[in-house]
Amino acid sequence: MKNLLLFSILYLLSSIFNGALSQKQDSLMISRIFADALTHNDSYRNLEYLCTKIGGRLAGTPESMKAVKWAEKTLKSMGLDTVFLQECTVRYWERGEKETGRVISSVTGNKDLHPDALGGSVPTPKEGLSAKVVEVANYNELKRLGKEKIAGKIVFINHPADPSLYNTFAAYGGVAGYRVRGAVQAAYYGAVAFIVRSATTAHDEYPHTGIMHYADTVNKIPAVALSTNESDRLHNWLEQDPDLSVSIKVSSIEHPSVVSYNVIGEIRGAEHPEGIIAFGGHLDCWDNGQGAHDDGAGVVQTMDILRLYRSLGIKPKHTLRAVVFMDEEMEQRGGKAYAEEAKKMLDKNNISVTHRPSPIAYRHIAAIEADRGGFSPWGFSIDATDEQVKKVQSWKNLLLPYGIYILEKGGSGVDIKDLKPLGVPLFGLITDWQRYFDYHHSANDSFDKVNIRELQLGTGAMGALVYLIDQYGL
Amino acid sequence: MKNLLLFSILYLLSSIFNGALSQKQDSLMISRIFADALTHNDSYRNLEYLCTKIGGRLAGTPESMKAVKWAEKTLKSMGLDTVFLQECTVRYWERGEKETGRVISSVTGNKDLHPDALGGSVPTPKEGLSAKVVEVANYNELKRLGKEKIAGKIVFINHPADPSLYNTFAAYGGVAGYRVRGAVQAAYYGAVAFIVRSATTAHDEYPHTGIMHYADTVNKIPAVALSTNESDRLHNWLEQDPDLSVSIKVSSIEHPSVVSYNVIGEIRGAEHPEGIIAFGGHLDCWDNGQGAHDDGAGVVQTMDILRLYRSLGIKPKHTLRAVVFMDEEMEQRGGKAYAEEAKKMLDKNNISVTHRPSPIAYRHIAAIEADRGGFSPWGFSIDATDEQVKKVQSWKNLLLPYGIYILEKGGSGVDIKDLKPLGVPLFGLITDWQRYFDYHHSANDSFDKVNIRELQLGTGAMGALVYLIDQYGL
């Protein structure tokens, strides 16, 4: 009994000691990960190239193909174990000639408008179209006006994003639906075109585009966004002259679908090469900006995790995989193709599926997406079991010194969400969200808006999480 | 016994219920505080005026006097109970004509330099001075070279701020001493002038100034800062030609001291008007920029707390006081004068001291300083007793939904630190520190670098803390 007690005490002490030791080692390694991220400018230089030399790169466009080649070349230059392309078929919508708009009014005087077509919009007739404008704040007002008041007119939904919300994603979520589905609602009541206020709390001159959808049951009408300032001005002009007319011209082209690619780079795992920890961002971005925060940042950060592992000489137990996704903005074809391949790989009979140059790796043990801009990282939303969430939360003290204070259950990212049915624990990098929608989907999303340290810290945050998952599993 | 037990249970339940209720009411009030801060642009417009219409405003200068008048007028326009000026005598150093610098070398070719004099530097002779340059990385190297190698030369301390540190204040702290005391060290070994690398991890063309000190025991030599990029170039030119000479010209003027002012605005407390909760930032800033983040942001945020109380119709129990401090950058004469007055007020016999139009208010129950830029707020460093710190930490769940995750013991701010001997609990607003030293003390610290939401959230964070202190004391 006495010996057993002594043994128990010694065992307990040794566990505590070992725990403290591994905690200390982890703490040291995580400090090295952040220091390495903060002292290497590769991700910033990569982002500069992607933004300023390639620029806008909507899926299907020649620019997106250039970006694929750039991503492949960049990953190949990093001395990884594997770099490969993964095919996906993507929609190819082209903006065409820059949109124009004009207010015609003898009361206010004629005024130029500066719209951006929404992504997926049909074109106007070549000469443009012109009609009176009905401004509403929401669908209820649209319904109240009905076909009688709306038919033949342009519907302008001018619903400001709510600035009182701390979480700008909530503010965006409150209005993005007007952009996505407003044209269908307007067309239902017979509108000939659709104008939407940009989905941002910022007050400036940048129109913010983004995907919109049509329905087969109603006419497909041209759809554009105005900047928030221009929306306010149009509102004022309409108050002065409700009978003013607006002419807009959209020259978009819907090309046939084309083949594009996800780009994948790997470091093979030393102990469990069959297990994959994937992390990624999306390479495509809207064509009206440089896609610096959305999502060039996520692309270069996730590439940079692999550089960081090489730089620190860490040999991961599991296979680390940076995934540069194609086509997040239009139809998430890259994410879907990736999940399909991931599912196929799980079937041992499919060991020789195409596009899998790492025949050993076949199961995902975690996937992380970075798609909220290159701002100071705040943590991760976790789409996993309660037990897995708790395990991640047990690492909080290791991450808190670097501002990673959010480790909560929540959605991850649209490129990895289709891995969910495979039971893969998913993570979304959460960053300071105050500035994100100032830039999102607009010409304002340019390289000069990215702070190098904030960008690097995103690499550090994900690198640290990858390290802990690799060490301790989930 | 049975009744006692029943009573105890009922009492406990009622306490829990009341606790939950007040927690819920506090949570609601704090959400209103943040929403109000995020939906009023007064602070942003005030900052725009201060930065773009007044601009640089070092203590003692005519611009700083304009800023005092502006602050007084702005506070007076807010319908407060009291607005008054508090006298302080400040140093008046003037940069004079813009500094010039030039590298003279037949090897590298002659090159222009773009120095900023450090704050407090003596001038060069009118025609400038010219000498060879000794570059060192630290004081040890200086000591090793000694008088023999240094006498008659210009010392250039080129010690980069450490980018590997997550906390940029630590990186700054590691090099700011060279700026402050480097000229004394250099002069000790006979140097004729002093050049320091800017105290920032950023790589750009902005020289960062800041206060420097002389010692009576050695010569006062002119002292300037070069941007980090220019420091790197000078380093390279010195590698190519160690015998190059540099000429610099500084035209600074040390005027006699002048009278200046802190500007104070109050809302009188409804229940404990004698107790003051003070919050402030400093009005003065370096003359080479607009002082947007350092510390125009703190000024307009702390003013905005009073606006917010009026806007929400909250009647504070204690007297709320926004303090716009003068002369943080040079000698903290405003902070010192404020603390002296605060001390005098505590003595009931001094009830009629000058500059105290609120004879009822006399003791500080808390003071908060905002002087880390208008970035996303992360929390507060607390300079108070363990018990007080614990009390503040008990409010964490109320503040965490707004990203306020740091409530830790630590220093507050230099303008309020002299209240410490009076036993006043002190708080420093902690904000995202990644970008602060990109701007700090340079021409880069301009209004356009401030994000409106991040600025407003600082008001919200301090407004919420003020509310909780006002409700529950410390």
Side-chain angles (χ1 to χ4, degrees), chain B residues 86-239:
Chain B
Q86 188 177 57
E87 211 174 285
C88 56
T89 302
V90 299
R91 183 175 172 183
Y92 175 14
W93 176 87
E94 192 190 352
R95 180 176 306 278
E97 208 178 304
K98 179 77 190 90
E99 306 78 357
T100 57
R102 197 158 164 80
V103 169
I104 311 291
S105 165
S106 58
V107 178
T108 68
N110 298 344
K111 313 276 185 184
D112 277 337
L113 294 176
H114 307 82
D116 268 3
L118 297 183
S121 171
V122 295
T124 58
K126 264 190 183 162
E127 66 282 10
L129 66 76
S130 187
K132 290 188 177 173
V133 175
V134 178
E135 177 183 341
V136 296
N138 52 50
Y139 293 147
N140 281 340
E141 287 185 24
L142 207 59
K143 194 176 172 186
R144 204 159 53 233
L145 291 170
K147 289 191 183 179
E148 197 183 332
K149 299 274 176 65
I150 293 171
K153 301 208 174 116
I154 296 172
V155 162
F156 169 37
I157 298 190
N158 188 19
H159 190 121
D162 183 355
S164 75
L165 299 170
Y166 171 67
N167 188 331
T168 56
F169 281 83
Y172 173 74
V175 296
Y178 293 120
R179 184 197 75 214
V180 179
R181 290 174 300 272
V184 169
Q185 295 286 324
Y188 175 80
Y189 296 108
V192 295
F194 174 63
I195 299 175
V196 71
R197 181 191 183 92
S198 286
T200 174
T201 61
H203 292 271
D204 59 33
E205 302 293 335
Y206 295 100
H208 295 235
T209 189
I211 194 67
M212 54 88 58
H213 296 313
Y214 289 117
D216 290 336
T217 48
V218 296
N219 281 339
K220 295 182 179 180
I221 59 174
V224 301
L226 293 185
S227 74
T228 51
N229 281 355
E230 200 154 86
S231 296
D232 288 342
R233 290 197 291 269
L234 181 55
H235 170 89
N236 291 339
W237 293 329
L238 282 165
E239 283 200 329

Side-chain angles (χ1 to χ4, degrees), chain A residues 22 25-26 29 271-272 277 309 314-318 365 391 395 464-474:
Chain A
S22 82
Q25 284 171 339
D26 289 338
M29 184 52 83
E271 292 179 27
H272 304 288
I277 303 173
Y309 263 74
I314 312 174
K315 291 200 193 316
K317 295 177 182 177
H318 302 85
I365 65 166
K391 185 154 192 186
W395 301 330
L465 179 65
V466 166
Y467 172 78
L468 291 166
I469 294 172
D470 184 48
Q471 286 292 304
Y472 301 110
L474 284 171

